[in-house]
Amino acid sequence: MLPGEPSSNDPHTTVQINAPVSFIYESFLRQNPATGVIEPHVVARWENLSETEMVLHVRQGVHFQNRPPVNGRPMTSADVVYSLERIRTNDPRFTRRSQLVSVAKIEALDASRAKVTFKEPNAPFLTYLSDHYNAVVPKEAVEKFGSLDKVEDSIGTGPFIFERSTPGVGGTLKRNPEYWQKGRPYLDGATWSAITDTGTLVAAYRTGRLDMGAEFWGGVSAEDKQSIQRTNAAMQFLPVPEVRPNVLDMNLTRKPFDDVRVRRAINLAVDRQEIIEIVMGGSAQLSGPVGSRLFPFYAIPEAELAKMPGLRHKNTPGGQQDIADAKRLLAEAGYPNGLTIEAEGSRYVYWINLQPMELAKNQLRKIGITVNISLQDQTTLFAMEERRDFNFHSRGFSTAVEVDAQLTIRHSCTGSRNFGGFCDPVLEKLLAEQRRTLDPEKRKAIVLQAQHLLIDKIPQIFLFEPNRFAVMQPWVRGAVPGVGLAFGYVENIWFAK
């Protein structure tokens, strides 16, 4: 299921990836959705030569799908090198390039081995190799098609092969008969549907039109889960925290957001609890710069966040003080009578891209801020972000299941999704230090410092970390939806009917 038609299906560039892409492409490694353990995949093993050198051993017998121009040829270390180099392309379109900022050199030693040399020790690298967006792609496909934006140009090593699609409707995949895991996949094929509203989605589950959905691609809220259960008691649900902290993003290169006092005032006035209750039906938790459910070891605990100015309940004395302090900060910034802010929104995913801003609009009136929201289609809005031609909008940020990704991609000076232009030299030093720190306790202390700095500087208005439910019909077997792998290991899914 898709909430709409994505502008790109290229795993290395898209921020709104098409669900079937995860059936077609494969990442270098995989993070087990049930245990969180990083496991070999098309890279069969890795070898640490030193703290700054690693050799990746390519799995033998892996072939690309038998479609031109690749025609089923074997995957080699050259494909690993090409794909990693492409991911770190210095171009705004490559939104995960920040993940490989510590890489100095990537080279093929022979057909089965690729060597990665780092500028310094790199704690998160293996996690990045397991990010499902960081897939192995064939060079000749990119050269022939110019990009991999069209789903029909998708050629990977995965268990399913693209067959056909109709924009705005859906499409089909067929089983890859030469898939390297013998006997897999179990299913003969897969179909996907573009469903743009929640009511239609719920009805599709009730009638059996959809077999399963998860996260961005058919996952449901707690409220919709209860609605489906009332008529379909045997339906399977699995709670899955999303790697998508939701925020109000601000363009810090423009007034009034270049003034930290204005950002702090907005932060104090926004009522997260109301947003969580209305947008998520209570199925979410407060989030700072790092989500506490996804990263309980590294994140500021939710109980501690709930006591902080701006994040505490507005119906408490502290919450009321937040409103008074917000008005004072606006006056100090030169807006004693309030101000008007132009904002953007999109209905592409209403609860991510518009609804939180609609609620914040009403909440900010209490401190004299008027927010005007102009609606954009999602493709236009993403293009505005890349040009840094936006003001203020609601969005989520999908990342790898890695604390470095949560911090670096959005907040580093050169972060590939730092659309707001935040840049702080102290934070840069902390980010570099945690990335090269291999001891978990020492790394945790640095990560906590970085989070507190971000809460003070307010580059974004941190809102919540969503909990959504994966949905599976009673006959679905073998699916283990998890964080970062929405459908689990898709080659293991089968139907008991």
Side-chain angles (χ1 to χ4, degrees):
M1 170 268 170
L2 295 174
E5 201 65 34
S7 59
S8 171
N9 294 278
D10 188 329
H12 296 168
T13 62
T14 186
V15 295
Q16 46 173 165
I17 199 163
N18 197 335
V21 170
S22 62
F23 289 67
I24 296 170
Y25 292 105
E26 294 184 299
S27 53
F28 307 93
L29 306 175
R30 289 203 293 197
Q31 193 164 17
N32 189 298
T35 66
V37 174
I38 294 174
E39 300 176 342
H41 199 38
V42 296
V43 167
R45 64 186 180 93
W46 56 93
E47 177 185 1
N48 292 309
L49 303 182
S50 70
E51 286 190 342
T52 57
E53 295 174 299
M54 178 183 292
V55 173
L56 305 176
H57 294 260
V58 176
R59 186 180 296 278
Q60 299 303 295
V62 177
H63 289 72
F64 285 104
Q65 293 150 2
N66 192 9
R67 296 183 59 213
V70 191
N71 300 318
R73 70 162 176 82
M75 188 196 88
T76 70
S77 62
D79 299 300
V80 171
V81 172
Y82 174 76
S83 298
L84 286 172
E85 291 287 11
R86 187 171 186 263
I87 291 163
R88 69 180 190 139
T89 301
N90 187 22
D91 182 313
R93 292 178 303 143
F94 292 85
T95 55
R96 291 159 195 89
R97 63 189 184 279
S98 302
Q99 295 180 354
L100 303 181
V101 67
S102 293
V103 173
K105 186 179 182 181
I106 310 166
E107 56 189 318
L109 300 179
D110 53 38
S112 63
R113 296 181 303 154
K115 181 181 177 183
V116 182
T117 303
F118 304 99
K119 301 171 188 175
E120 55 192 1
N122 191 324
F125 183 66
L126 291 179
T127 305
Y128 288 146
L129 290 184
S130 65
D131 182 350
H132 70 287
Y133 289 101
N134 290 338
V136 180
V137 302
K139 181 178 181 180
E140 53 264 59
V142 177
E143 289 178 340
K144 177 178 180 178
F145 304 127
S147 74
L148 301 175
D149 289 344
K150 297 179 180 179
V151 67
E152 58 264 33
D153 296 336
S154 301
I155 303 174
T157 62
F160 294 92
I161 302 173
F162 172 81
E163 189 169 38
R164 67 178 65 89
S165 71
T166 302
V169 178
T172 62
L173 308 173
K174 61 183 179 181
R175 184 179 187 273
N176 180 2
E178 284 86 36
Y179 185 52
W180 59 271
Q181 292 193 53
K182 301 305 179 186
R184 305 288 202 282
Y186 292 131
L187 296 177
D188 293 328
T191 64
W192 76 93
S193 300
I195 298 177
T196 58
D197 68 276
T198 301
T200 304
L201 175 65
V202 169
Y205 284 128
R206 283 183 170 141
T207 60
R209 174 186 166 194
L210 291 180
D211 294 298
M212 69 176 296
E215 281 194 21
F216 189 64
W217 307 284
V220 299
S221 66
E223 182 179 2
D224 291 330
K225 169 182 174 287
Q226 293 169 0
S227 175
I228 295 170
Q229 283 178 318
R230 282 195 290 268
T231 56
N232 300 64
M235 192 75 78
Q236 303 175 78
F237 294 92
L238 184 69
V240 181
E242 293 194 4
V243 196
R244 186 181 292 109
N246 282 58
V247 304
L248 302 180
D249 205 11
M250 302 171 284
N251 189 339
L252 276 57
T253 68
R254 294 181 174 180
K255 292 184 179 301
F257 304 115
D258 59 342
D259 190 326
V260 70
R261 294 171 295 186
V262 174
R263 302 200 302 270
R264 286 172 178 159
I266 294 171
N267 180 62
L268 289 169
V270 169
D271 187 339
R272 276 83 165 175
Q273 285 76 17
E274 182 182 55
I275 291 175
I276 288 172
E277 189 58 38
I278 294 176
V279 174
M280 299 301 299
S283 184
Q285 52 277 335
L286 286 175
S287 179
V290 173
S292 60
R293 298 288 175 91
L294 285 169
F295 303 98
F297 180 73
Y298 288 106
I300 298 171
E302 185 181 2
E304 184 178 339
L305 287 173
K307 298 176 183 177
M308 291 182 176
L311 288 95
R312 52 196 176 187
H313 275 278
K314 292 295 182 282
N315 61 358
T316 64
Q320 291 302 302
Q321 185 61 48
D322 289 345
I323 298 299
D325 289 344
K327 292 177 179 177
R328 174 181 55 79
L329 283 167
L330 282 184
E332 291 176 3
Y335 304 102
N337 300 316
L339 72 157
T340 297
I341 293 175
E342 301 300 323
E344 303 85 17
S346 167
R347 294 189 182 279
Y348 180 70
V349 183
Y350 178 60
W351 67 270
I352 296 176
N353 303 118
L354 183 57
Q355 193 178 16
M357 181 61 77
E358 291 177 334
L359 293 170
K361 172 180 178 176
N362 292 329
Q363 295 163 1
L364 292 174
R365 286 178 180 151
K366 296 177 181 178
I367 62 169
I369 294 179
T370 299
V371 178
N372 298 321
I373 305 173
S374 64
L375 290 180
Q376 310 288 337
D377 66 81
Q378 196 74 342
T379 300
T380 299
L381 192 54
F382 283 159
M384 291 169 67
E385 280 187 325
E386 289 182 3
R387 299 193 308 268
R388 204 165 280 169
D389 183 24
F390 74 98
N391 284 320
F392 189 35
H393 67 119
S394 168
R395 61 129 56 241
F397 282 87
S398 299
T399 72
V401 189
E402 166 56 53
V403 68
D404 177 66
Q406 295 268 304
L407 293 170
T408 301
I409 288 178
R410 292 182 289 153
H411 305 304
S412 170
C413 296
T414 58
S416 52
R417 301 183 76 187
N418 179 359
F419 303 123
F422 179 72
C423 187
D424 184 275
V426 176
L427 181 66
E428 292 301 296
K429 291 178 181 178
L430 291 172
L431 295 180
E433 188 179 356
Q434 63 83 24
R435 198 177 299 119
R436 61 174 171 259
T437 300
L438 303 180
D439 181 277
E441 289 292 344
K442 292 179 180 178
R443 189 181 181 213
K444 175 181 179 178
I446 301 164
V447 169
L448 285 171
Q449 287 183 61
Q451 291 173 78
H452 283 287
L453 182 150
L454 289 165
I455 286 174
D456 178 59
K457 300 289 186 179
I458 312 293
Q460 298 174 329
I461 307 300
F462 307 112
L463 296 179
F464 61 85
E465 180 185 27
N467 288 325
R468 304 276 284 177
F469 290 86
V471 189
M472 295 170 284
Q473 294 287 356
W475 53 80
V476 176
R477 301 286 188 273
V480 186
V483 177
L485 277 176
F487 301 98
Y489 293 173
V490 296
E491 70 274 12
N492 293 337
I493 298 172
W494 58 284
F495 293 163
K497 69 172 184 176

